[in-house]
Amino acid sequence: MKENKQNFILFKTDTKIVRCKKPEIVYCTVIDRKIQIYIKDGNRFDIRSTIKKVMSTLNDIHFLKINSGTIVNVAFIKGVSNKEVVMDNGDILSLSRSNSKNVRNAVKAYWGYNAD
């Protein structure tokens, strides 16, 4: 299978440039003014950027902003409640009230769930 260049994203850490596949990014979150990017294989790397720039770079309908400092890949969401998002890897992330309805609707659409 041939890989498409648009399927990859490059991030610059303090010491290296990392290339990863977009579908393998589980979530990105801001910690101590750095963006931590969590990958499907369990690895994590830190970059200096803003959440807005990362969201713009990802530019994919599968990535949702769940609060002011966190972006998740809907493919790795295990569950959603009113206040949190549970990821497949077990991480529990805070869900803001302002994003709650959009995140729930996006998850329902991704899962093919039509009931309210």
Side-chain angles (χ1 to χ4, degrees):
M1 190 156 108
K2 193 173 182 180
E3 293 292 340
N4 184 340
K5 282 185 179 181
Q6 293 176 342
N7 214 20
F8 288 94
I9 190 165
L10 296 175
F11 291 110
K12 184 180 178 194
T13 70
D14 289 337
T15 58
K16 60 187 172 185
I17 295 175
V18 179
R19 180 183 87 154
C20 85
K21 294 179 182 178
K22 282 186 191 182
E24 293 183 358
I25 297 172
V26 177
Y27 69 94
C28 309
T29 192
V30 178
I31 305 284
D32 294 331
R33 296 189 314 193
K34 287 187 178 183
I35 306 289
Q36 293 183 340
I37 300 174
Y38 293 82
I39 309 300
K40 181 171 96 173
D41 64 9
N43 286 325
R44 182 196 93 205
F45 55 92
D46 300 346
I47 63 169
R48 291 202 179 274
S49 187
T50 64
I51 207 75
K52 185 176 181 178
K53 285 181 185 176
V54 171
M55 188 68 169
S56 174
T57 302
L58 290 171
N59 190 27
D60 189 311
I61 61 169
H62 292 108
F63 290 94
L64 308 170
K65 192 170 181 184
I66 64 167
N67 63 46
S68 62
T70 307
I71 300 167
V72 299
N73 184 340
V74 71
F76 294 102
I77 294 177
K78 185 176 186 177
V80 179
S81 72
N82 289 335
K83 296 182 180 180
E84 60 191 27
V85 174
V86 180
M87 304 303 291
D88 283 343
N89 65 2
D91 291 351
I92 299 172
L93 307 171
S94 169
L95 175 60
S96 71
R97 275 189 296 164
S98 61
N99 290 327
S100 181
K101 186 174 182 177
N102 290 338
V103 170
R104 291 164 80 75
N105 288 339
V107 169
K108 286 179 185 179
Y110 184 80
W111 289 345
Y113 184 76
N114 294 323
D116 283 327

